Amino acid sequence: MTMKIMVAIKRVVDYAVKIRVNPDKTGVVTQNVKMSMNPFCEIALEEALRIRESGSASEVVAVTIGPSHSVDTLRTGLAMGADRGIHVDYSASLYPLSVAKILTKLVQIENPGLLILGKQAIDDDCNQTGQMIAGLLNWPQGTFASKVVLDKEKQVATVDREVADGIETVCLNLPAVITTDLRLNQPRYATLPNIMKAKSKPIKKFTPEELNVEIKSDLEIVQVTEPPKRKAGVVVSSVDELIDKLKHEANVI
Amino acid sequence: MAGLVQRNPRFSKLNDDDVRYFEGILGAKNVVQDEDKLVAANIDWMHKYKGSSRLLLQPKTTEQVSQILKYCDSRSLAVVPQGGNTGLVGGSVPVFDEVIVSLSSMNKIISFDKVSGILVCEAGCILENIISFLDNEGFIMPLDLGAKGSCQIGGNVSTNAGGLRLVRYGSLHGNVLGVEAVLANGTVLDMLKTLRKDNTGYDLKHLFIGSEGSLGIVTKVSILTPPKLSSVNVAFLACKDYSSCQKLLQEAKRKLGEILSAFEFLDGQSMNLVLNHLEGARNPLPTLHDYYVLIETTGSDESSDKQKLEAFLLGSMENELISDGVLAQDINQASSFWHLREGISEALMRAGAVYKYDLSIPVEQMYNLVEEMRSRLGNTANVIGYGHLGDSNLHLNISTPQYDDKILSQIEPFVYEWTSKHRGSISAEHGVGLMKANEIFYSKSGETVQLMASIKNLLDPNHILNPYKVLPRSLIS
Ligand SMILES: Cc1cc2nc3c(=O)[nH]c(=O)nc-3n(C[C@H](O)[C@H](O)[C@H](O)COP(=O)(O)OP(=O)(O)OC[C@H]3O[C@@H](n4cnc5c(N)ncnc54)[C@H](O)[C@@H]3O)c2cc1C
């Protein structure tokens, strides 16, 4: 059995960068800002690599959708250990439904047994793409995965999901969609030998047109603003003063 | 440590009138006598040096510092200037009952010129706060070090701290453009220029850079800061032997010259220590190695910088200078590589007692000392070597379960004699403090030290500033 795993990865503003809203309030500043792989996507890729290394899959294909610079992120994925890459070249804004449609097309071309994505990208925090693809493909889904166990014989993935009141365990018949949560694994680093190998790994290019996906959106961004600044705290000198403030200023007691 | 030093009987003992006088200048709140608060200020970062001061003063202005010193000078009260108290040579805490003058409340940024990148601030500003202030303005500090969360710019200037970026931006003698300092008799010296060039007479600000509070209290600093460049890359590498690390440095200087911003080194023993004692430490490489190097590049073009660095690393791998390595793919990974290097001091603290030596030694010979020390001490101690290889600066650290005079006598004076024989310095960047005041001759000639003593006598004739430290007790008593 030679199962293929497809992993979607996204290039985003680095997690550690302090985000700034652009002056005309239409988005955040991305020029001269460090861009990196979305941390949840790193986890998704790591999980795919571990499954391949355990012998349950034979190939990991990393996919990214975005402008030409996204290839850098794809190279990172290849350096982590993905076998090959697919870059869908598109420079304008993308929303989850368009991404889901593109990935659906690629799934139909590649026929993976498993599609793994991050539960969300840290730039727009949408948390929709995985679910939408599962809907479009009519595949079972295990979202917010904190543990994945694959039964090769039965073609079943058992997924622990982090839900509000604890862990829910679901069994998915393959092929299936899994989205990853933070605690699933700790992604590996890109070692020099693997960076070297990644240079000769193939990256296939597509455009949305070639995949017959029309990109349109019913969403319009009205305005982007910073969250309100937290007010500085005050030091109170006595319990009485604290109670007084809670009563009369904060109006909470 | 203080056991070897006698309290100088010429110094007065603090009395109630003194306290009342200080309260008059500073307000009662800034005159601290509370035992608990004094404990922290009496003990150094390593918990190795402990004084018994009963008074901590927290001035808010230069004028207050001046009044304090003038009074202490007239009363012969000894004083220890204190910044973030992260110094590693016992310089920042009292030896006996010296009055502690803390600069913590002088923590305002005074001005920042976005065109020239010149920052003027008070001495008590915490380095990390300055770093984040500058980050917002699109600039960086020319120095960075593991203690940034606590150390103050005044302390950095007073110790002429080196740190992680010296290889790129040079020492504080180049970056500090001006200093305001208060002399022992209360005179305020305004040398707070914001000029890059100023050749009018003797450049006296340099006396206060690295004199560890023995000549005056630094109250304000002006410093030249470089613009923040957008592309930073960090690689963590393994080398099979020390000579490969050294060759890698030579190559890096040639091939990464204009973007190289740090070249740090740690041996396998340092790595083990960090992995065992530092929270969140994780070996970035699949296996353990004998030597590691951290390389950072800083430049203005992400893709060409990365290409250049990758080409250098892959080439060095083919030449077998590097046996394995990882390249950070995001800032989080870069920070975790730095954490391994910067966390060594903290890991050492958790491992027990530590004898720290901060030495400048020509790069070729540097690691021989670590190996000799290892064979001297056998299995009585864990000898580790790390440091700023790019600046020929070795941090030799000897970790033992507890402080033990027998082990100390195996280490000293051997370590100083060895360093002196190889024409190195017994203090590359931490300073002399209490720890090495009597050892200064290993690195400086008699005539030079004599002139230092004359300068001390001129600026602080009653020797109230940071007594027992920096200069040998035979010259200054
Ligand atoms: C984890 C760690 C990592 C470190 N890494 C480095 C490194 O990479 N490079 C390096 O060079 N050092 C390093 N150090 C030591 C370094 O000397 C100090 O961290 C720092 O420069 C001292 O600043 P501070 O404000 O803590 O000064 P303190 O420790 O309070 O004082 C140091 C000395 O300066 C004097 N002093 C302080 N403030 C003033 C002032 N305003 N006016 C006059 N005298 C003053 C004190 O009397 C004392 O002699 C490290 C220390 C630690 C704990």
Side-chain angles (χ1 to χ4, degrees):
Chain A
M1 208 229 54
T2 57
M3 185 175 81
K4 196 190 282 181
I5 304 177
M6 187 185 272
V7 181
I9 59 183
K10 183 176 185 183
R11 178 180 153 93
V12 296
V13 172
D14 192 284
Y15 171 72
V17 167
K18 199 172 154 221
I19 301 288
R20 290 200 180 86
V21 174
N22 66 19
D24 50 5
K25 297 195 175 173
T26 54
V28 300
V29 178
T30 53
Q31 243 186 353
N32 260 335
V33 165
K34 170 85 176 165
M35 306 290 281
S36 303
M37 191 189 297
N38 176 41
F40 292 106
C41 301
E42 263 188 298
I43 294 170
L45 180 54
E46 175 66 33
E47 197 62 20
L49 297 173
R50 290 185 189 188
I51 293 172
R52 187 193 63 195
E53 283 159 2
S54 75
S56 298
S58 56
E59 191 183 31
V60 174
V61 183
V63 179
T64 193
I65 308 167
S68 58
H69 272 313
S70 305
V71 173
D72 297 347
T73 309
L74 212 46
R75 287 272 171 227
T76 298
L78 297 175
M80 281 175 70
D83 298 287
R84 59 191 172 88
I86 297 176
H87 173 213
V88 180
D89 198 348
Y90 189 75
S91 306
S93 314
L94 276 169
Y95 298 95
L97 187 56
S98 311
V99 175
K101 284 179 180 168
I102 293 173
L103 288 172
T104 302
K105 282 286 160 90
L106 291 172
V107 164
Q108 284 158 358
I109 296 172
E110 292 282 341
N111 285 313
L114 201 53
L115 173 65
I116 313 183
L117 309 88
K119 70 168 181 180
Q120 67 199 62
I122 59 165
D123 49 1
D124 54 24
D125 275 343
C126 281
N127 188 334
Q128 295 166 6
T129 307
Q131 294 89 328
M132 285 176 171
I133 300 173
L136 290 170
L137 288 167
N138 203 17
W139 281 10
Q141 57 179 303
T143 50
F144 314 118
S146 62
K147 188 178 170 196
V148 174
V149 178
L150 216 64
D151 187 329
K152 218 166 116 181
E153 303 304 310
K154 293 197 191 124
Q155 286 288 292
V156 168
T158 307
V159 175
D160 284 0
R161 308 180 58 230
E162 296 198 9
V163 291
D165 38 13
I167 301 282
E168 180 184 81
T169 305
V170 294
C171 291
L172 316 171
N173 289 325
L174 300 185
V177 175
I178 291 174
T179 75
T180 58
D181 217 320
L182 212 56
R183 276 167 285 269
L184 179 59
N185 60 46
Q186 196 176 32
R188 68 196 63 192
Y189 297 119
T191 65
L192 294 178
N194 287 338
I195 291 174
M196 186 134 62
K197 278 188 218 142
K199 293 198 183 294
S200 53
K201 289 180 180 173
I203 293 179
K204 216 192 291 177
K205 247 194 169 62
F206 287 102
T207 61
E209 298 83 66
E210 285 166 344
L211 295 171
N212 269 324
V213 179
E214 194 194 340
I215 296 183
K216 57 176 196 279
S217 174
D218 301 326
L219 294 175
E220 182 198 348
I221 291 193
V222 182
Q223 197 182 59
V224 176
T225 53
E226 278 187 34
K229 286 223 163 47
R230 252 182 51 192
K231 285 203 200 122
V234 286
V235 177
V236 292
S237 53
S238 66
V239 174
D240 288 344
E241 190 188 338
L242 175 66
I243 290 172
D244 181 72
K245 280 191 188 296
L246 290 175
K247 263 195 189 138
H248 300 109
E249 285 178 33
N251 298 320
V252 289
I253 53 172
Chain B
M1 282 288 162
L4 304 171
V5 189
Q6 299 288 316
R7 183 183 184 280
N8 186 336
R10 280 198 298 125
F11 293 133
S12 312
K13 296 221 160 145
L14 190 76
N15 63 35
D16 290 348
D17 287 344
D18 299 328
V19 175
R20 233 167 287 134
Y21 180 84
F22 293 128
E23 287 176 345
I25 330 176
L26 304 174
K29 221 175 85 193
N30 300 311
V31 177
V32 179
Q33 291 179 282
D34 180 84
E35 288 285 335
D36 289 343
K37 285 186 187 155
L38 281 170
V39 169
N42 267 310
I43 302 184
D44 79 317
W45 189 84
M46 294 181 294
H47 291 228
K48 194 168 174 180
Y49 301 91
K50 187 167 182 291
S52 50
S53 174
R54 287 168 36 237
L55 192 67
L56 168 74
L57 303 178
Q58 299 173 313
K60 285 199 163 79
T61 63
T62 303
E63 185 48 36
Q64 289 178 347
V65 175
S66 163
Q67 284 174 295
I68 292 171
L69 290 189
K70 191 172 173 190
Y71 180 81
C72 289
D73 200 36
S74 67
R75 274 271 296 127
S76 281
L77 283 169
V79 168
V80 51
Q82 190 172 78
N85 196 10
T86 67
L88 299 174
V89 289
S92 53
V93 290
V95 183
F96 300 101
D97 56 349
E98 297 92 285
V99 173
I100 304 169
V101 177
S102 161
L103 278 295
S104 311
S105 299
M106 291 186 64
N107 57 3
K108 282 190 288 297
I109 286 172
I110 298 166
S111 66
F112 180 67
D113 180 340
K114 271 193 119 151
V115 178
S116 61
I118 295 169
L119 173 88
V120 181
C121 67
E122 291 182 331
C125 289
I126 289 175
L127 180 59
E128 193 162 50
N129 294 348
I130 304 181
I131 291 174
S132 46
F133 169 86
L134 288 173
D135 187 62
N136 269 326
E137 305 285 335
F139 287 78
I140 64 165
M141 274 302 261
L143 89 159
D144 189 5
L145 43 96
K148 60 179 154 264
S150 312
C151 67
Q152 302 174 0
I153 188 65
N156 299 146
V157 168
S158 301
T159 56
N160 185 22
L164 308 164
R165 288 186 181 145
L166 190 133
V167 70
R168 171 73 164 265
Y169 300 108
S171 95
L172 287 176
H173 281 292
N175 294 306
V176 172
L177 302 180
V179 159
E180 178 192 80
V182 182
L183 298 183
N185 66 7
T187 305
V188 178
L189 287 186
D190 177 0
M191 302 173 287
L192 201 60
K193 286 277 171 58
T194 52
L195 306 168
R196 284 209 71 174
K197 302 174 94 173
D198 175 17
N199 284 354
T200 44
Y202 308 145
D203 198 347
L204 295 180
K205 68 165 184 281
H206 289 293
L207 281 181
F208 298 88
I209 303 174
S211 53
E212 304 175 55
S214 64
L215 298 180
I217 293 189
V218 174
T219 44
K220 293 189 184 107
V221 173
S222 89
I223 186 162
L224 182 65
T225 70
K228 180 179 180 172
L229 302 181
S230 59
S231 139
V232 178
N233 285 297
V234 180
F236 195 86
L237 312 165
C239 299
K240 63 176 186 304
D241 49 28
Y242 178 71
S243 112
S244 303
C245 303
Q246 203 184 308
K247 284 188 200 126
L248 191 67
L249 171 63
Q250 285 166 3
E251 288 287 300
K253 282 187 172 166
R254 272 177 201 288
K255 304 216 166 106
L256 302 172
E258 75 281 17
I259 54 171
L260 187 66
S261 54
F263 195 105
E264 295 290 318
F265 149 82
L266 51 149
D267 61 11
Q269 286 81 352
S270 306
M271 183 68 153
N272 264 337
L273 189 102
V274 168
L275 294 177
N276 289 329
H277 294 278
L278 191 70
E279 212 171 307
R282 156 188 180 205
N283 183 5
L285 301 168
T287 54
L288 289 170
H289 298 262
D290 290 340
Y291 299 89
Y292 301 90
V293 164
L294 184 153
I295 293 183
E296 183 192 76
T297 64
T298 304
S300 53
D301 185 331
E302 175 82 37
S303 56
S304 81
D305 290 358
K306 192 151 189 181
Q307 229 170 18
K308 188 178 283 188
L309 178 61
E310 272 185 17
F312 168 73
L313 295 176
L314 298 181
S316 306
M317 204 140 174
E318 273 161 23
N319 301 341
E320 296 184 2
L321 289 184
I322 301 177
S323 34
D324 201 357
V326 284
L327 184 56
Q329 302 295 319
D330 56 41
I331 298 175
N332 196 15
Q333 293 185 4
S335 316
S336 61
F337 299 170
W338 268 120
H339 185 56
L340 296 170
R341 167 60 188 84
E342 290 186 277
I344 301 174
S345 309
E346 199 184 316
L348 278 163
M349 285 293 297
R350 300 203 177 164
V354 55
Y355 299 94
K356 274 184 164 320
Y357 299 92
D358 156 44
L359 312 162
S360 267
I361 299 172
V363 176
E364 318 83 69
Q365 286 136 14
M366 190 157 137
Y367 204 72
N368 296 345
L369 175 60
V370 181
E371 284 169 343
E372 282 188 42
M373 190 59 85
R374 222 166 253 154
S375 61
R376 267 178 90 80
L377 295 178
N379 50 18
T380 57
N382 184 19
V383 179
I384 72 167
Y386 64 95
H388 314 295
L389 197 71
D391 319 322
S392 290
N393 182 181
L394 172 71
H395 290 319
L396 170 70
N397 282 253
I398 294 145
S399 168
T400 54
Q402 58 258 326
Y403 290 113
D404 177 345
D405 285 343
K406 272 226 294 287
I407 291 183
L408 182 60
S409 66
Q410 287 283 315
I411 307 172
E412 294 181 22
F414 170 77
V415 60
Y416 297 130
E417 288 166 359
W418 198 99
T419 305
S420 181
K421 198 171 84 195
H422 293 87
R423 295 192 64 79
S425 168
I426 61 161
S427 170
E429 58 176 15
H430 293 165
V432 176
L434 179 65
M435 180 187 179
K436 291 172 268 189
N438 282 339
E439 276 69 35
I440 193 167
F441 295 108
Y442 284 106
S443 291
K444 290 279 153 70
S445 71
E447 295 78 2
T448 312
V449 179
Q450 191 60 56
L451 181 59
M452 290 184 193
S454 308
I455 293 173
K456 169 80 178 173
N457 286 331
L458 183 69
L459 298 192
D460 177 20
N462 298 320
H463 304 165
I464 62 159
L465 284 169
N466 232 355
Y468 323 107
K469 297 164 187 166
V470 186
L471 293 176
R473 260 86 71 184
S474 55
L475 289 183
I476 299 287
S477 57

